[in-house]
Every structure is written in C-alpha cells, then in structure tokens.
Amino acid sequence: MLNPAQLLRVDVGLLVVFSTVLEERHVARAAEKLNLTPSAVSHGLSRLRRLLHDPLFFKTSTGVKPTERAIALAGPIADLLSRVEGIMSAAGPFDARTARRSFKIGAPDAVAAVFLAPLISRLARDAPGIDIRLLQLMPQHQGKATSQVWQDTLAELDSHRLDLAILPIGALPSRYAERLLFEEDFVVAMRKGHPLARALSLTSYVKAQHLLVSAIGDPLGIVDIRLAEQGHSRRVALTVPNFMMALAQLAESDLIATLPRHLVEQHATRFHLVARPMPFRWTADSVRIVTSQAAMADAGIAWLFEVMTNCISPHSVTRLTAKRRTSL
C-alpha cells in the first residue's frame, strides 16, 4: 500500500490523460479533447509510465495501441474517475438543468421495466445532462431468510458503489432513506387465445407447462415454494434469464408464466398477452426506493430520489398502466 508521501506523486490529471488517450487511441486527438497541447499529453503519459512501470501505449501508424497493463487498468481508472466526479459534483450546488453527471441505480429487471420509461422521459425534459447506469440486481437467496436476500445490495449502498436501489423489500434500519413506491403482486400471463385464458383454476394451472425467469436456470422459484406448501407442484418446461425474453416466449407458445402485475400490464399490448388472477392466495410485496442516509447529503442523489419517487409513485404507476388494463 502506498504511503501518503507516495500518493502525493499521483496527479488525478494524469489519470484523465490516460483515460482520454485510451478512448481516442491517438495523442493529438486526446490533446484536442482535453484542450492541451500534444506535447503536454505526451509529457503526462511519460510521468504516468514512470509511476506505473509500464509503457502503457505503443506508437502505431494510425495512433497508439494500449499495452495489456493499460487495458487491465482501464476499468479501475474509469471507476476511480467516476467516483472523483461524484465527490466533486456533490460538493457544490446541484442544478438538474445544467448538471452533467451519472448515477448508478440498481433494480431487478422486472422492476426496472416499470420505472425506466417514465424516468428517462423526465430526465430528457428536465435534466438532459444526467446519465443513468442501470445495474440488474438479483436476490441472494442461498439459504438466507427472506429479510436477508438483499443484504449485498444494501452493502453496495453503504459503500456508495450504488447511488439508489429499487427493491421489493420490507422495513429497513434507520440508516437508510426509503419510500414506498407501489405494492406488487403477481398474475398469470399467456398469449391471447390461450385455452386457459377462458378459465384458469388451480388444477389447470398446475397441469400447464410453465415458463420461469431464472438467471441461473434453476427451475424452482418462489411460486414452487408456495405451491409445495399447499401440496402441489408444477412443471417448468422452460427457464429464461430475463423478463423481456419471457414475454417474447409467451407470445409465441402455449407456455404460461407467473409474473409481476405491473410488468405484464406495461407490456401486454406490445406482446399480445393477457393476464389472469393467481389461482391461489398471494401476498403483495412492497417495492421501495432505497439509499443511505449519508448519500442523501449529496444534493444530486437527493434530487434523483425525489424524481424517481414522483415517477414511480402509486398514482403514476396507475396512470401508466390504466390504458393497458382493458387487454388484461
């Protein structure tokens, strides 16, 4: 580990030079982008080569080619510069109309399909310089209690590697800022004209061929646990890794799937699907927007928290899906 005296030798500006040259693959173009002279960029690269003990770039007939070490450093340096940008942005006042900044938002893909369109529409209108980095979140079951499956995500919020998360989660400790967005339950989705669209009973449900969304191909999900509690089981004929693929497969087969209601309502018309109520009792999950209380001191994160709350409030979700409910 470097001591403070050694760290003083590391100029963040050198990392910006490195990142720009890597992006442009050309010293002169990088210099123009940075508003520097080519000699200043070359001098910066020379300093960085000495610090990192690697040539970093080789000259070619068309520009420069990165070394293997430079390629390996690209991700960590980009991440570091992003964090520096976030720190500097948080230090001053935040004006959404003029701000140029990116935020990392985590959500399961079924939840992201509900909020992404209204969020992007709002940003395009009110904050054109804001970029969103969306990360797909997966619950970490592995024998954990239901209340513990999102602990890894909460740790990401605590460490500020994630700015905001949208999660189906219950009550949280006071160190988190959270707000209820909507209640999510499930419906049984299938193509229009499916034989079960006319009448769906528990008996016909368990006899049908099911599609299950599973990132790892596991044919057992929470529905199977609930069915087993009642002495039933079903056949999962197909697993797919994401919900949008699931909707496409339902449209072209006789498979049925138990999916989040808001996801189906938003995309039913596009995929020519219908939905029917669950044939057994199901308790709705609370979907919340979550961040750390410490992160709320950042005016930009606090602003985005409010924007997303307004975009995905129960009233806005109702408005978003009301037009589609006639097909359900």
Side-chain angles (χ1 to χ4, degrees):
M1 180 179 292
L2 296 179
N3 60 43
Q6 292 172 311
L7 282 174
L8 280 173
R9 298 170 56 202
V10 181
D11 182 350
V12 173
L14 298 180
L15 303 183
V16 176
V17 168
F18 168 88
S19 182
T20 308
V21 172
L22 182 67
E23 179 183 356
E24 297 294 332
R25 297 293 204 271
H26 197 282
V27 170
R29 287 200 298 268
E32 183 178 359
K33 190 171 184 178
L34 293 169
N35 199 25
L36 297 173
T37 64
S39 61
V41 170
S42 297
H43 178 68
L45 288 177
S46 296
R47 289 178 59 195
L48 199 55
R49 288 182 177 114
R50 291 193 295 272
L51 286 171
L52 298 177
H53 308 289
D54 189 86
L56 299 178
F57 297 96
F58 297 115
K59 290 182 179 180
T60 70
S61 59
T62 58
V64 294
K65 178 182 178 181
T67 65
E68 290 186 7
R69 179 76 191 286
I71 293 172
L73 288 170
I77 287 177
D79 183 59
L80 176 61
L81 292 176
S82 178
R83 294 189 187 191
V84 170
E85 180 186 11
I87 291 170
M88 299 309 295
S89 297
F94 181 82
D95 184 347
R97 294 167 299 178
T98 58
R100 298 190 61 83
R101 185 174 171 185
S102 65
F103 294 96
K104 287 185 179 180
I105 301 173
D109 65 334
V111 176
V114 174
F115 74 75
L116 200 55
L119 174 62
I120 296 305
S121 177
R122 172 71 182 273
L123 295 181
R125 185 181 75 242
D126 298 338
I130 298 299
D131 299 327
I132 298 299
R133 305 291 179 251
L134 181 64
L135 284 71
Q136 181 177 346
L137 302 180
M138 300 293 294
Q140 302 299 310
H141 290 286
Q142 301 171 338
K144 296 179 181 178
T146 303
S147 60
Q148 299 295 311
V149 298
W150 297 111
Q151 287 304 306
D152 289 353
T153 299
L154 297 179
E156 293 286 296
L157 293 171
D158 288 335
S159 63
H160 305 293
R161 290 190 292 270
L162 197 61
D163 295 315
L164 296 168
I166 315 295
L167 299 171
I169 197 168
L172 290 166
S174 59
R175 71 176 183 276
Y176 297 104
E178 55 89 6
R179 196 168 298 169
L180 177 67
L181 298 178
F182 57 90
E183 298 287 342
E184 182 67 281
D185 59 355
F186 283 71
V187 294
V188 183
M190 62 199 76
R191 65 171 176 81
K192 288 184 177 179
H194 194 289
L196 295 183
R198 292 191 295 271
L200 180 66
S201 65
L202 180 57
T203 299
S204 60
Y205 176 84
V206 297
K207 286 183 177 179
Q209 295 188 42
H210 292 253
L211 180 153
L212 174 66
V213 177
S214 171
I216 60 174
D218 185 352
L220 296 177
I222 185 63
V223 170
D224 300 281
I225 296 173
R226 300 284 178 84
L227 284 172
E229 292 171 351
Q230 301 178 46
H232 299 286
S233 63
R234 62 175 181 165
R235 176 190 170 193
V236 174
L238 175 67
T239 66
V240 295
N242 61 68
F243 284 91
M244 298 308 291
M245 187 180 295
L247 297 175
Q249 290 300 317
L250 290 178
E252 300 176 357
S253 72
D254 280 335
L255 297 171
I256 67 173
T258 307
L259 300 174
R261 177 185 296 276
H262 290 100
L263 170 77
V264 177
E265 288 182 340
Q266 185 162 345
H267 297 285
T269 300
R270 173 184 174 188
F271 289 98
H272 307 290
L273 301 178
V274 296
R276 296 295 175 257
M278 293 282 287
F280 56 93
R281 186 179 179 85
W282 192 277
T283 303
D285 293 312
S286 298
V287 177
R288 288 179 163 85
I289 182 170
V290 184
T291 190
S292 67
Q293 291 286 6
M296 289 293 278
D298 180 331
I301 292 177
W303 170 84
L304 186 59
F305 185 95
E306 293 299 326
V307 165
M308 294 191 66
T309 298
N310 293 332
C311 283
I312 327 167
S313 66
H315 298 297
S316 63
V317 170
T318 299
R319 289 195 301 270
L320 183 67
T321 60
K323 297 179 181 178
R324 302 177 174 90
R325 285 186 175 167
T326 55
S327 64
L328 299 178

